[in-house]
Amino acid sequence: MDNISIKDVIDALGAELYYGDSSRVKDVFINNVTSDSREVKENTLFLCIKGERVNGHDFLPASYEKGAVCAFISENVDTSGYKDDIYLIKTEDVIKAVQTLALWYRRKFDIPVIGVTGSVGKTTTKEMTACALAAGKKVLKTIGNRNSQLGVALMMFELSKEFDIAVIEMGISESGEMDRLTHIAEPEAAIVTNIGVSHIANLKSRENICKEKLSITNGFSENGGVLYVCGNDDMLNVITKESELVNNTAEVISYGTCDNCNVKAVNIENDNDTVSFDVYINEKTVHVTLNVTGLHNVCNAVTALLLADRYGVDVEAAAEALSEYRPMAMRGERFTFNNAIVIDDTYNASPDSIKSILNVLWDMKCTGKKYAVLADVLELGEMSKELHTEIGSYINNMNDTGRKTDVLITFGKNAAFIADKVREHGKCEVYSFDNRDDITKLLKENLGEGDVCIIKGSRGMKMDEIIKGLK
């Protein structure tokens, strides 16, 4: 982050100083913004955010001792313990205040921003896009899980003159959130990976989720922008420039593996370790080999190449860079246990991402059994039973087509609905547990030479503990 003065902060917010030496606001600078007292260092702006369990105001004294020179507060604080070298700015809503400052800071840089959203696959698409662009550009990409109302604002403060372009992940869970995010980041290009059922408890329907995701184009300037939508998705494949859900200045390009896509991957070949394909971009056929598998990753790679081409990176160099891409921790990582292949996809889960990882399992060649270990998908609200049961039906339907799951193991009361449905079908060994240790024990006793096993569930189900038990 570049230095900005306390006066800059006050002017950007149109705020008044609650505490501090007003005669020195031009001479005191910040170069770090955080709401985490553990990340405070000298010249930090500390955000006193009141949460359900933690009140950031309680950490203000400690942050001051560690070097914070400014803080956003939303309640009165006792200033008797401070010198006049800390500057307190009071606001009704700390998050909205830092969002306002983030937009002011973002506009200091004439740097293209690519926004990435979707129900699943945001992080992988962000990583692949950044990887492809890095073949010719200096790229800023979202750090960790900074894709929220606060996280996107904090990412704006990572901008600096050293970067040519930024790839920013944008996640939402409620109506109206994307509009705020897109007006912080002001992207000139955006990717929407799919429309699933994540956060359907809040947004009520896939139609509402689609509307919310596509409002990412609201942040496009009057000169327009480009929206990339995955044509494999049944709701995105009908989106065009004329769609009422899209900013009418936006160009719309669909990508994927289906015939209706504007840019389509062809000659797709999967094996247990890689997937390869060809894609025609800018009058050139490019061959790509990825060290990950699954059609969803083919789609991710296609849009990464499209963005690389749009911003002047040679697509063949971008394809070569993608060949070096490796999955992030807990997002499709592979290891062996007792000569069986285990795929760790335990970072999080939705019904859609479970289907994607199941397809990875079914595409893999093995001489033994195929195991699917699935836990509850959380935050589905009143639709939870229906959506878990539908996953079971999906497994049954695929079994009937020869895409076989030999052993299904579920963990949790909602995942048990998957097991119940598959058990009815009678073509798969089915086990249900309410204890992760029992699952680890079963896998240790049964996984062997030639087997393949996927393990997936919502983050709150802590399926990574099973992974730890196998390593």
Side-chain angles (χ1 to χ4, degrees):
M1 178 182 178
D2 290 352
N3 285 333
I4 59 174
S5 71
I6 303 299
K7 184 179 188 304
D8 289 332
V9 176
I10 292 170
D11 290 347
L13 268 59
E16 295 183 0
L17 198 61
Y18 177 86
Y19 180 82
D21 182 356
S22 60
S23 68
R24 297 185 62 243
V25 292
K26 291 182 179 179
D27 304 316
V28 179
F29 296 86
I30 65 168
N31 54 29
N32 181 48
V33 183
T34 185
S35 63
D36 187 339
S37 60
R38 295 167 297 183
E39 297 176 354
V40 172
K41 55 187 180 181
E42 289 188 4
N43 304 319
T44 289
L45 164 59
F46 181 64
L47 310 173
C48 299
I49 297 174
K50 294 175 67 173
E52 293 181 3
R53 293 177 294 178
V54 177
N55 186 343
H57 296 79
D58 296 338
F59 298 91
L60 180 56
S63 297
Y64 172 61
E65 291 296 325
K66 292 176 69 175
V69 295
C70 185
F72 288 174
I73 59 175
S74 60
E75 60 184 39
N76 293 331
V77 299
D78 180 5
T79 59
S80 59
Y82 303 113
K83 299 177 182 178
D84 62 2
D85 59 348
I86 188 169
Y87 297 81
L88 305 182
I89 300 171
K90 189 176 181 183
T91 177
E92 289 186 7
D93 189 318
V94 171
I95 291 180
K96 287 184 179 178
V98 75
Q99 288 175 336
T100 299
L101 182 62
L103 174 59
W104 174 88
Y105 185 81
R106 187 262 181 271
R107 288 179 172 173
K108 286 168 60 70
F109 302 94
D110 185 21
I111 295 175
V113 170
I114 301 167
V116 182
T117 193
S119 294
V120 296
K122 294 184 294 294
T123 299
T124 301
T125 302
K126 175 259 297 184
E127 289 291 324
M128 283 194 178
T129 301
C131 177
L133 286 164
K137 301 286 184 181
K138 180 66 174 177
V139 184
L140 171 66
K141 63 180 180 180
T142 293
I143 301 167
N145 60 356
R146 290 188 185 180
N147 67 1
S148 64
Q149 294 294 303
L150 175 61
V152 171
L154 293 179
M155 279 308 306
M156 294 301 98
F157 297 116
E158 300 292 333
L159 289 168
S160 71
K161 293 182 177 66
E162 70 175 287
F163 295 110
D164 301 313
I165 196 165
V167 185
I168 302 299
E169 185 177 332
M170 300 182 184
I172 56 93
S173 60
E174 296 182 355
S175 179
E177 289 188 329
M178 182 59 75
D179 193 62
R180 291 193 292 274
L181 294 182
T182 193
H183 283 106
I184 297 168
E186 295 188 329
E188 65 173 49
I191 303 167
V192 183
T193 61
N194 50 49
I195 305 299
V197 294
S198 299
H199 307 298
I200 201 165
N202 294 332
L203 291 164
K204 306 305 181 186
S205 70
R206 286 184 72 214
E207 287 74 18
N208 288 343
I209 294 169
C210 186
K211 179 180 179 181
E212 184 69 19
K213 296 291 186 184
L214 290 175
S215 66
I216 195 171
T217 62
N218 292 352
F220 289 177
S221 74
E222 62 183 16
N223 295 323
V226 182
L227 174 67
Y228 297 86
V229 295
C230 183
N232 288 35
D233 185 272
D234 65 332
M235 298 194 78
L236 294 176
N237 63 18
V238 297
I239 299 300
T240 66
K241 181 179 174 63
E242 287 72 34
S243 300
E244 62 180 15
L245 299 179
V246 175
N247 182 328
N248 59 16
T249 65
E251 178 185 358
V252 178
I253 297 174
S254 64
Y255 64 89
T257 63
C258 299
D259 289 339
N260 61 306
C261 298
N262 298 131
V263 181
K264 175 188 174 185
V266 296
N267 303 326
I268 301 168
E269 294 186 6
N270 266 299
D271 64 28
N272 283 6
D273 300 308
T274 65
V275 60
S276 63
F277 62 92
D278 295 321
V279 61
Y280 187 73
I281 295 176
N282 196 12
E283 300 183 350
K284 182 183 293 186
T285 298
V286 182
H287 183 73
V288 185
T289 299
L290 303 174
N291 281 288
V292 291
T293 57
L295 282 180
H296 60 295
N297 281 318
V298 173
C299 294
N300 297 339
V302 170
T303 191
L305 291 170
L306 284 169
L307 268 299
D309 180 65
R310 171 175 169 78
Y311 289 101
V313 177
D314 179 75
V315 288
E316 290 185 342
E320 181 64 26
L322 284 172
S323 72
E324 300 298 320
Y325 170 81
R326 297 295 184 275
M328 298 175 67
M330 302 166 66
R331 299 177 189 268
E333 280 189 307
R334 300 182 183 199
F335 63 96
T336 59
F337 172 80
N338 202 21
N339 293 319
I341 298 172
V342 181
I343 301 177
D344 174 6
D345 206 47
T346 57
Y347 183 80
N348 214 336
S350 70
D352 308 280
S353 64
I354 284 178
K355 291 175 184 177
S356 291
I357 198 65
L358 283 168
N359 275 286
V360 170
L361 174 69
W362 296 329
D363 283 338
M364 294 187 73
K365 302 175 181 68
C366 75
T367 57
K369 292 183 177 181
K370 294 186 175 182
Y371 288 73
V373 183
L374 307 176
D376 288 358
V377 177
L378 304 177
E379 299 180 3
L380 296 179
E382 61 186 19
M383 295 185 67
S384 186
K385 179 178 180 180
E386 175 187 344
L387 291 170
H388 282 87
T389 301
E390 199 276 328
I391 294 171
S393 297
Y394 184 71
I395 293 172
N396 292 340
N397 292 338
M398 292 299 102
N399 266 332
D400 287 341
T401 67
R403 293 173 71 75
K404 187 179 180 183
T405 305
D406 297 292
V407 183
L408 172 68
I409 303 168
T410 68
F411 170 62
K413 64 178 183 180
N414 291 308
F417 295 123
I418 304 174
D420 291 343
K421 192 66 178 178
V422 174
R423 194 177 285 114
E424 288 176 7
H425 202 56
K427 293 188 177 181
C428 175
E429 289 182 52
V430 181
Y431 303 89
S432 295
F433 293 97
D434 55 13
N435 186 305
R436 282 180 295 269
D437 291 341
D438 291 337
I439 296 175
T440 305
K441 182 174 183 291
L442 185 149
L443 293 174
K444 283 184 172 181
E445 291 175 351
N446 289 277
L447 281 180
E449 182 82 38
D451 294 335
V452 180
C453 176
I454 60 164
I455 302 178
K456 189 167 183 65
S458 280
R459 193 75 190 93
M461 299 304 291
K462 300 180 180 178
M463 297 300 280
D464 55 307
E465 293 185 8
I466 296 175
I467 298 296
K468 292 173 185 176
L470 297 176
K471 286 187 172 180

